[in-house]
Amino acid sequence: MKKAFAITLMIISLIFTSCKKENKTAEKENSEIEFVILGTAKNGDGKKLGLHIPSLGMDNRLTSEIVNGKFEFKGNLPNPERAEIAFDNELEEFDGMYSVYDVYLTKDTLRINVTVDERDENLYFSENSFEDNGVNTYYQNNKNKYWEAYNGLSYNPRDSVLMDSLRKYVFPKVRENVIKVNTEIFSDKKNTIIGLNNLKYIFDNRFVFDFKEMSSEQKKSINEYFNNIDESYINSPDYTVVSSHIKRMNNVNFGKQFMDFSLPDISEKDSQLSKIISQNEFTVLDFWWSGCAPCRKFNQESKEHYKKLKENGIEIVSINVDDGMKKWQRASEKDSIDWINLYAGTNSKIQSDYNVVAFPTTIIFDKNKQRVDFDFHKATELLKLKSKK
């Protein structure tokens, strides 16, 4: 496991009724922003940094080499957006795992001062500081509150005894703390880009923020936060994902019915799920990413049995959520995937709409687009689907 940058709050750093009307996006006129990041990096000469902007995708990230202790990123975006700085060789890694330095790209010039250190053959930033007189300064000055809200919480979902205890005695207090932190953030609309990221983390953390265990007041607060997000962020990837989660929180049936999507295959030709499903007795939507060992195992195991599955009217549709198409393409080639293989990308709407928060996740539909309740672990077990007819 890589060492996280000192500035990174690791997983927890990401913390931190009614949905907004659907026509807001159409009505919104984007005002392009120019972002500038100016950095100094002690001991970093010759190292290459990458700036991953989710709306552009990992394969279109910006790069900057540290020269004479300095680096910079410049660009234009239609809207302010959260992004990640990391050492570029880590962003290229096949398994998709890397340490990041979170930044918020706005019209304010962001100045970063860091020292580059190496430990256990991994690079990271230390002795860091950054300022922009805007949201990044606010984030830097208040990041400890995010730690305090979770109070160093860690858990193992597989330990049922521990989880029962946490649900009863710990999670309720954590939810209360997190709501309090976000109330403060959303009190100033200019900081709602941070709050938007916090909401995404809340929904990703499905164990602590289990909808069944959340109070109506907590749900009301989250709806209010969402409705107070500045409209300049409504076209960002985070907003798209959070909006789907909001719908799911407010409607227990949202995500349980078939929802159609059109996604590209390896040849970049779009395929429509509804058309695929109508042509097969059963269709298995398999959500995966290249760094997921169980996902890759399923790919390998399915190769031996796909022909027989297909003969029995069962189709597999792999839906990849890697943060870059190159990682998906390399993994697909290595696993010799010869069934339908589509790319959705990280933080995709299909992922949030279908409430995919763990991997691999499989969802099965019959040819009438009715969801099929069927638990399996190996591709051979799918042949038992015939008994569902």
Side-chain angles (χ1 to χ4, degrees):
M1 179 83 55
K2 289 184 171 59
K3 302 288 185 180
F5 299 152
I7 184 64
T8 308
L9 297 183
M10 304 181 76
I11 298 176
I12 299 176
S13 72
L14 299 178
I15 6 183
F16 320 160
T17 138
S18 61
C19 301
K20 291 198 170 188
K21 294 182 179 178
E22 294 293 335
N23 62 0
K24 277 194 172 183
T25 301
E27 295 175 354
K28 172 68 181 172
E29 292 186 6
N30 296 334
S31 54
E32 190 173 79
I33 61 121
E34 180 179 2
F35 65 86
V36 179
I37 299 176
L38 302 177
T40 63
K42 184 179 178 181
N43 301 332
D45 278 10
K47 301 293 190 299
K48 189 177 181 181
L49 301 176
L51 177 67
H52 171 215
I53 304 173
S55 64
L56 301 182
M58 182 64 75
D59 298 332
N60 296 314
R61 65 186 181 278
L62 305 183
T63 60
S64 178
E65 183 176 347
I66 302 173
V67 179
N68 296 324
K70 296 183 178 181
F71 65 92
E72 71 175 35
F73 293 100
K74 293 182 179 180
N76 294 281
L77 289 172
N79 306 283
E81 189 174 342
R82 174 185 57 84
E84 304 165 341
I85 297 176
F87 291 95
D88 196 61
N89 65 310
E90 295 187 339
L91 297 179
E92 277 286 354
E93 285 195 0
F94 179 72
D95 64 6
M97 301 297 293
Y98 54 91
S99 303
V100 300
Y101 183 110
D102 290 333
V103 295
Y104 296 91
L105 304 179
T106 68
K107 64 181 180 181
D108 298 311
T109 297
L110 172 59
R111 290 178 171 82
I112 303 175
N113 304 292
V114 299
T115 295
V116 176
D117 286 332
E118 184 171 354
R119 187 182 303 165
D120 299 329
E121 299 183 351
N122 295 308
L123 297 170
Y124 64 99
F125 289 156
S126 67
E127 300 179 11
N128 54 76
S129 67
F130 68 113
E131 62 177 272
D132 64 350
N133 297 318
V135 295
N136 286 285
T137 299
Y138 179 90
Y139 174 72
Q140 175 74 358
N141 293 338
N142 291 275
K143 64 180 185 291
N144 286 339
K145 294 180 181 179
Y146 311 146
W147 279 104
E148 294 165 0
Y150 278 77
N151 196 28
L153 176 66
S154 64
Y155 51 85
N156 180 2
R158 297 180 180 180
D159 187 336
S160 59
V161 175
L162 172 64
M163 293 300 288
D164 287 343
S165 178
L166 290 174
R167 286 189 179 97
K168 185 174 182 179
Y169 300 108
V170 178
F171 289 173
K173 183 61 177 178
V174 170
R175 288 195 292 269
E176 181 181 327
N177 292 341
V178 172
I179 293 293
K180 184 177 180 181
V181 169
N182 280 286
T183 297
E184 181 178 340
I185 290 173
F186 280 98
S187 65
D188 189 339
K189 200 165 186 176
K190 70 180 182 181
N191 293 323
T192 58
I193 189 171
I194 300 174
L196 176 59
N197 186 41
N198 291 359
L199 288 181
K200 180 179 178 298
Y201 182 79
I202 283 175
F203 289 121
D204 287 345
N205 200 335
R206 63 190 177 100
F207 295 105
V208 177
F209 285 88
D210 187 325
F211 294 157
K212 296 178 181 178
E213 297 177 1
M214 291 170 59
S215 68
S216 57
E217 284 301 311
Q218 289 171 341
K219 293 179 181 180
K220 179 180 178 181
S221 294
I222 289 175
N223 274 307
E224 290 175 351
Y225 301 152
F226 182 70
N227 288 331
N228 285 328
I229 292 173
D230 189 283
E231 290 188 8
S232 61
Y233 309 137
I234 66 176
N235 292 319
S236 70
D238 282 353
Y239 186 94
T240 298
V241 171
V242 169
S243 64
S244 289
H245 286 307
I246 288 287
K247 292 176 183 176
R248 186 167 52 85
M249 182 180 72
N250 295 328
N251 181 359
V252 295
N253 292 318
F254 182 79
K256 294 183 178 180
Q257 305 300 318
F258 173 77
M259 289 177 282
D260 204 8
F261 285 87
S262 182
L263 301 169
D265 60 18
I266 290 289
S267 64
E268 299 186 8
K269 180 181 178 181
D270 285 348
S271 295
Q272 195 159 8
L273 293 185
S274 58
K275 184 176 181 180
I276 296 170
I277 287 175
S278 65
Q279 295 172 343
N280 300 280
E281 292 296 327
F282 297 98
T283 301
V284 182
L285 305 184
D286 173 36
F287 291 84
W288 70 291
W289 65 290
S290 60
C292 166
C295 301
R296 304 296 294 277
K297 183 179 180 181
F298 179 77
N299 288 346
Q300 296 287 341
E301 192 261 341
S302 296
K303 286 190 299 185
E304 304 174 21
H305 308 287
Y306 175 62
K307 183 178 179 180
K308 189 172 183 179
L309 290 172
K310 188 67 176 174
E311 289 173 351
N312 282 269
I314 301 169
E315 181 63 271
I316 299 176
V317 179
S318 287
I319 300 176
N320 181 275
V321 296
D322 270 310
D323 55 17
M325 294 186 76
K326 292 180 181 178
K327 294 178 182 178
W328 161 57
Q329 292 164 348
R330 289 195 295 259
S332 298
E333 182 178 359
K334 187 173 182 178
D335 293 352
S336 301
I337 296 177
D338 56 3
W339 50 89
I340 298 173
N341 183 20
L342 308 177
Y343 180 74
T346 189
N347 295 332
S348 57
K349 191 172 186 296
I350 187 173
Q351 186 177 336
S352 54
D353 275 3
Y354 279 116
N355 189 28
V356 178
V357 294
F359 299 93
T361 288
T362 53
I363 301 172
I364 302 175
F365 289 100
D366 64 21
K367 66 185 309 177
N368 297 315
K369 303 183 183 66
Q370 297 300 307
R371 196 159 176 166
V372 179
D373 183 16
F374 183 78
D375 185 34
F376 71 99
H377 301 285
K378 295 182 179 181
T380 51
E381 296 172 353
L382 288 170
L383 293 171
K384 298 177 183 178
L385 274 169
K386 301 292 289 186
S387 64
K388 289 282 185 179
K389 291 184 65 176

